[in-house]
Amino acid sequence: GAALLLGIGWQQAAFLAHDAAHNAVVDPAKGGGFNAVSWTAGSVLFGISTAMWNEEHSMHHAITLRPKEDPQFDYLPLWLISEKELQVPGVKVDLLTRALVYIQHWTFLPLCVLVGRFNFYLISTGWAIKRLFTAPTRAGVLAAGMDILGMAIFWGWYCAVVGMLPEFYSRLLFVLVSHWTTGILHVQLLLSHLATSCFTPEEERAEQFFSFQLKTSRNVDSDWTDHWFHGGLEYQIEHHLFPQLPRHSLEAVKPFVVEICEKHGVPYRSVGFFHALWEIMSDLRRLSGALLELEMG
């Protein structure tokens, strides 16, 4: 029970870190600077590099799902999310890529839930250490140093909690359950964008901002009983249009967004959690077959 609650607590800390990093919790300092709320929630409580996430997530908002350029949706050779990725110069489809993509609709959920949290630790630690020595500015070095400090505090308190358990197997079970519970977050982070549309830079300019954001995002239907579970991600469309808008205000602007979509014939995607998951799994399976057909053709 305690491991399950901790996993849910981590999920909520990640949502808070996301809100704070978007300056939707407190006003940013003049000229930028250290975001204490985001750092506390993201690095100290959740255990990741807040600076890494903030840099990658800013790019994600600017070039959502752009093939091989959106740093938060670049998964080859593990997963193929659009045929357009294969058209990017320099992309090579070797034997490993073919093998992994062929089974991607089987590996998607297990990797998200069972491995996603541990992978976050690895890439955060590697990014922060590298940035500590390579950041071009003093602010960048400071941000990396603060991330390393925050992650060290995280491992300190988490190891102390695990150490309170009496034996090895109970400790192992606690670690696995707490991390696998949070694994649902890694599904949620992908649910709002996969199996939508991907655009090249030229296509993005042709679509223009509003249409581009609508066509690369989807909302998740929810009500008052499960808003807490989605952490604002259920209003992903509104969030991408107004990224600094506080979570509790996203619902208020939704009717205006829907009205604009209806007026101009722009699709507005909003489906249930499991329906969105079904769409993604179906698209991953389609793409696994499409890769084979493209090679044979």
Side-chain angles (χ1 to χ4, degrees):
L4 182 67
L5 289 175
L6 178 58
I8 295 173
W10 275 338
Q11 178 209 39
Q12 296 300 309
F15 291 148
L16 177 58
H18 173 256
D19 291 347
H22 274 286
N23 297 315
V25 176
V26 295
D27 292 331
K30 291 184 178 180
F34 181 63
N35 189 322
V37 178
S38 177
W39 175 79
T40 301
S43 297
V44 176
L45 297 181
F46 192 60
I48 68 166
S49 168
T50 307
M52 177 199 74
W53 180 89
N54 203 34
E55 180 177 297
E56 291 187 350
H57 197 64
S58 296
M59 285 292 290
H60 162 68
H61 270 264
I63 55 173
T64 308
L65 293 188
R66 183 184 293 178
K68 299 297 295 175
E69 293 188 47
D70 182 342
Q72 294 190 325
F73 284 84
D74 180 13
Y75 298 117
L76 275 177
L78 189 60
W79 301 323
L80 175 70
I81 66 171
S82 171
E83 293 96 333
K84 292 180 181 180
E85 291 182 289
L86 303 175
Q87 302 167 9
V88 176
V91 172
K92 296 181 179 179
V93 180
D94 55 19
L95 181 61
L96 176 62
T97 301
R98 288 195 295 269
L100 291 174
V101 170
Y102 185 71
I103 59 172
Q104 65 180 7
H105 50 294
W106 294 107
T107 61
F108 175 72
L109 283 177
L111 289 178
C112 282
V113 175
L114 304 182
V115 182
R117 184 83 165 100
F118 298 104
N119 181 60
F120 231 158
Y121 293 146
L122 291 175
I123 61 176
S124 288
T125 303
W127 189 94
I129 293 175
K130 180 180 179 181
R131 184 55 63 95
L132 188 65
F133 297 101
T134 61
T137 64
R138 183 177 179 181
V141 174
L142 177 61
M146 290 300 296
D147 276 353
I148 292 172
L149 173 62
M151 290 185 287
I153 296 172
F154 167 83
W155 284 111
W157 71 257
Y158 183 60
C159 289
V161 170
V162 175
M164 295 179 184
L165 299 173
E167 57 185 6
F168 171 78
Y169 289 106
S170 61
R171 293 173 182 176
L172 178 62
L173 182 63
F174 184 90
V175 169
L176 293 178
V177 171
S178 59
H179 284 79
W180 290 348
T181 300
T182 315
I184 188 64
L185 171 67
H186 296 274
V187 177
Q188 291 176 292
L189 293 174
L190 304 181
L191 203 68
S192 300
H193 294 292
L194 289 183
T196 59
S197 299
C198 292
F199 296 106
T200 64
E202 295 76 19
E203 291 170 336
E204 289 172 10
R205 288 191 288 270
E207 288 289 334
Q208 298 189 9
F209 177 77
F210 184 87
S211 178
F212 164 61
Q213 294 295 348
L214 265 291
K215 291 181 180 180
T216 55
S217 304
R218 74 161 58 80
N219 281 6
V220 176
D221 295 338
S222 60
D223 56 35
W224 67 272
T225 61
D226 60 355
H227 281 311
W228 68 272
F229 177 74
H230 298 289
L233 299 183
E234 69 271 35
Y235 296 115
Q236 189 71 201
I237 290 172
E238 287 73 24
H239 170 61
H240 265 250
L241 291 174
F242 311 102
Q244 289 188 299
L245 195 66
R247 186 194 312 178
H248 58 268
S249 297
L250 294 174
E251 184 178 13
V253 301
K254 177 181 176 178
F256 300 102
V257 175
V258 172
E259 182 180 352
I260 294 173
C261 288
E262 292 175 347
K263 180 179 180 180
H264 296 280
V266 179
Y268 185 97
R269 291 186 180 94
S270 187
V271 298
F273 179 90
F274 291 105
H275 185 87
L277 188 59
W278 174 82
E279 288 184 352
I280 290 170
M281 300 297 287
S282 299
D283 196 52
L284 289 174
R285 183 176 181 178
R286 178 189 66 81
L287 287 165
S288 70
L291 177 61
L292 180 62
E293 291 177 4
L294 287 170
E295 290 193 318
M296 293 179 63

